[in-house]
Amino acid sequence: MLELIERFDFFGAVGLTLWLTLWGAILAFVLGTIVAIMRLSPVKALQFAGTVYVTAFRNTPLTLIVIASNLVLWNQLGLQLAPRDSASYIVDTNIRLAILSLAVYHAAFVCEALRSGVNTIPVGQAEAARSLGLTFAQNLRHIILPQALRGAITPLGNVLIALTKNTTVVTAIGVAQVSHSMARMIEFRSDVIILIFGLVAITFVALTLPMGMLTSWLSQRLAVRR
Amino acid sequence: MTDTTRRTEGLGQPLVVLKDVNKHFGDLHVLKDINLTVREGEVVVVIGPSGSGKSTLCRTINRLETFESGSITIKGVELPKEGKALAKLRADVGMVFQSFNLFHHKTILENVTMGPVKVRKMKPAEAKEHAMKLLTRVGVEHQANKYPAQLSGGQQQRVAIARSLAMNPTVMLFDEPTSALDPEMINEVLDVMTSLAHSGMTMIVVTHEMGFARKAADRVVFMSDGAIVEENTPEEFFTNPQSARAKDFLGKILTH
């Protein structure tokens, strides 16, 4: 097994998976929050745009989004995400396209998780804030979103775990994360195939189990007492 | 004679004026041609059976409920429809809710300083000092660093009153402030409201507490089926109601 890990740079692949997860999660959270604000806003046009976003990306397979990011965004439309003269131009571009795809896709789920958090807040909270003279933006920032976030920790944790595992999909554009390294191991060492699958499975459990435990703990600790 | 008469003589300019206000919930006509003028320093108590529209009336005054026709002015200014202008007006109109609606994720002190700091742009230290004075005034200064869920209902409602007072409102609306309280906690809230009334605050109070109406009100407004049926001084209203519906209502509630 050690030989496998060394020969196929498995730790490097795990590192890349973590990198994709980290940036994918941060960007998905930011984008998802923006879309959630659009869907919660009193402006009809923003609500509509938010709904379209969620409907479009929640119902499209991630593989499709990943491949389209490469073939359409980069090849056809010429989106440049890395310096062209760099030696790692193609690798960097694909990693960044992968992060972008993961973020755009999971933002739809982050948005819906936050909206489910908003539903845990009694109507009176927003009414009290409005009657104090807080504007819509202040109301969101100080009253609604902090409470929605606390009520949405468990579903947000689910999105994070799904995102971690969905990083495997970006093999489709050749990003050398864990599943990509798994494919190469299988190709060259099909004699130890059970070991390979076991190694990858345990790796993902080791990554996602702490996330689940952390979110359960946080959701209890930060629960809003009513 | 009583404190009431003295107060009535000292009443100022019209502050809140409702003219021909109408509102429907679907087919239900919840507010029917409401005309009401509340003067500076006046305490108006709105009573009536459940579903008579009194809570809706109260919520309409700071536009938590919209209405279809008629007009509401506060200090001569028409109620703005939306946005910053409405927020600015609401800052001057205190509101106390039946279910307290303290911000659950904020401490008692933060609840009271939120409005002054975020809306009035007061310095946090100054807001805190002012908040502590108000919390002392309503008798919950020792709970300042607790969260709302750690307080009793009566304490929470007194904090809600302090939170409204922190904005230095020109008028305060009370929407059944004691209806969600256990009986033993009603008086502690009514005491705070009574002292507020005597301090000259303009108040519109929707309540079922007839004792409070007798003691603190300048005028009682009786509503039934979405309309104002009768208004009078508390003494006249309770001893000599004019309309059949008011007589019927008082007969039902004053028998025990």
Side-chain angles (χ1 to χ4, degrees):
Chain A
M1 187 161 91
L2 276 177
E3 183 246 318
L4 267 182
I5 290 174
E6 271 175 37
R7 182 171 158 200
F8 296 96
D9 189 22
F10 190 70
F11 286 136
V14 171
L16 188 53
T17 290
L18 280 171
W19 183 253
L20 293 171
T21 304
L22 178 72
W23 285 103
I26 292 171
L27 293 177
F29 183 73
V30 172
L31 190 57
T33 307
I34 293 170
V35 180
I37 291 171
M38 288 166 73
R39 293 200 76 175
L40 293 169
S41 83
V43 184
K44 285 273 185 305
L46 289 180
Q47 285 176 15
F48 182 73
T51 310
V52 168
Y53 183 95
V54 170
T55 312
F57 288 106
R58 194 169 56 166
N59 299 307
T60 310
L62 180 57
T63 317
L64 195 98
I65 296 172
V66 169
I67 295 174
S69 76
N70 180 293
L71 296 183
V72 179
L73 274 185
W74 184 29
N75 287 359
Q76 292 291 316
L77 301 176
L79 178 75
Q80 296 301 329
L81 293 178
R84 219 172 210 304
D85 46 6
S86 132
S88 56
Y89 172 59
I90 293 176
V91 172
D92 284 351
T93 300
N94 275 323
I95 290 175
R96 287 172 191 178
L97 285 172
I99 290 172
L100 181 69
S101 306
L102 287 166
V104 161
Y105 176 78
H106 291 92
F109 295 90
V110 168
C111 166
E112 294 308 274
L114 284 175
R115 288 209 313 141
S116 78
V118 170
N119 289 335
T120 66
I121 310 171
V123 195
Q125 295 287 298
E127 284 187 345
R130 282 154 69 197
S131 69
L132 275 183
L134 267 67
T135 60
F136 174 74
Q138 288 176 322
N139 197 343
L140 262 186
R141 177 153 174 248
H142 300 293
I143 309 301
I144 304 298
L145 285 181
Q147 295 190 61
L149 191 59
R150 289 155 178 244
I153 287 172
T154 305
L156 283 173
N158 290 340
V159 176
L160 180 62
I161 289 170
L163 189 151
T164 309
K165 296 191 290 183
N166 286 344
T167 56
T168 52
V169 169
V170 304
T171 297
I173 55 170
V175 176
Q177 37 65 52
V178 172
S179 74
H180 188 267
S181 136
M182 179 182 81
R184 286 183 55 233
M185 287 184 200
I186 293 170
E187 197 179 332
F188 292 102
R189 291 300 306 273
S190 54
D191 54 319
V192 288
I193 197 155
I194 294 174
L195 183 68
I196 296 170
F197 278 128
L199 176 67
V200 173
I202 288 168
T203 303
F204 273 101
V205 172
L207 292 180
T208 53
L209 203 61
M211 293 177 188
M213 282 158 44
L214 182 70
T215 51
S216 303
W217 180 74
L218 274 178
S219 73
Q220 281 186 4
R221 204 183 135 76
L222 296 179
V224 180
R225 294 184 197 287
R226 302 198 189 274
Chain B
M1 192 181 77
T2 60
D3 195 34
T4 314
T5 16
R6 182 187 59 74
R7 284 177 43 78
T8 314
E9 283 162 4
L11 292 178
Q13 297 297 309
L15 186 61
V16 179
V17 180
L18 288 83
K19 269 205 187 97
D20 302 318
V21 173
N22 277 285
K23 179 181 175 64
H24 292 78
F25 281 134
D27 285 340
L28 190 65
H29 199 171
V30 279
L31 295 179
K32 295 176 187 161
D33 294 319
I34 300 291
N35 284 287
L36 182 69
T37 300
V38 180
R39 295 174 172 279
E40 263 172 41
E42 194 177 14
V43 176
V44 171
V45 167
V46 184
I47 62 172
S50 299
S52 58
K54 50 195 194 308
S55 271
T56 309
L57 174 70
C58 188
R59 291 164 55 83
T60 307
I61 294 172
N62 69 352
R63 223 185 156 85
L64 285 179
E65 299 282 352
T66 56
F67 54 96
E68 289 121 30
S69 65
S71 77
I72 298 180
T73 57
I74 294 176
K75 278 208 271 190
V77 180
E78 184 100 17
L79 217 55
K81 288 233 183 319
E82 284 296 334
K84 293 238 155 79
L86 181 59
K88 199 159 179 260
L89 179 129
R90 279 177 175 150
D92 293 331
V93 179
M95 176 100 187
V96 176
F97 299 87
Q98 179 175 351
S99 47
F100 332 133
N101 294 346
L102 293 180
F103 303 130
H104 295 140
H105 62 307
K106 301 270 178 198
T107 64
I108 297 309
L109 187 63
E110 286 165 349
N111 264 276
V112 182
T113 56
M114 167 78 69
V117 172
K118 300 298 172 196
V119 179
R120 299 270 193 241
K121 311 294 176 199
M122 200 187 266
K123 289 200 181 73
E126 197 185 333
K128 190 177 163 185
E129 197 188 319
H130 187 48
M132 286 311 298
K133 276 187 198 145
L134 290 170
L135 288 175
T136 309
R137 182 167 162 192
V138 299
V140 282
E141 69 276 22
H142 299 302
Q143 324 287 342
N145 293 316
K146 289 188 182 168
Y147 284 88
Q150 295 170 283
L151 269 60
S152 73
Q155 289 172 326
Q156 286 192 53
Q157 193 62 301
R158 284 184 279 148
V159 173
I161 293 172
R163 177 174 70 176
S164 281
L165 284 174
M167 298 297 287
N168 291 321
T170 47
V171 54
M172 284 183 76
L173 311 172
F174 292 81
D175 183 10
E176 302 202 26
T178 56
S179 299
L181 294 174
D182 291 336
E184 75 269 26
M185 292 170 188
I186 290 176
N187 279 333
E188 65 189 52
V189 171
L190 290 180
D191 286 346
V192 169
M193 288 169 60
T194 307
S195 82
L196 202 56
H198 290 310
S199 76
M201 175 63 74
T202 312
M203 295 162 68
I204 300 173
V205 185
V206 173
T207 187
H208 295 288
E209 295 299 326
M210 300 304 147
F212 175 79
R214 276 176 190 275
K215 201 159 47 174
D218 296 310
R219 184 155 45 119
V220 172
V221 170
F222 175 71
M223 281 185 79
S224 179
D225 298 320
I228 294 179
V229 177
E230 197 170 332
E231 28 182 335
N232 217 329
T233 61
E235 206 155 281
E236 273 296 303
F237 177 78
F238 286 113
T239 52
N240 187 20
Q242 301 298 309
S243 65
R245 272 183 286 184
K247 281 178 191 163
D248 179 54
F249 177 72
L250 289 176
K252 278 176 185 153
I253 56 163
L254 297 178
T255 43
H256 22 207

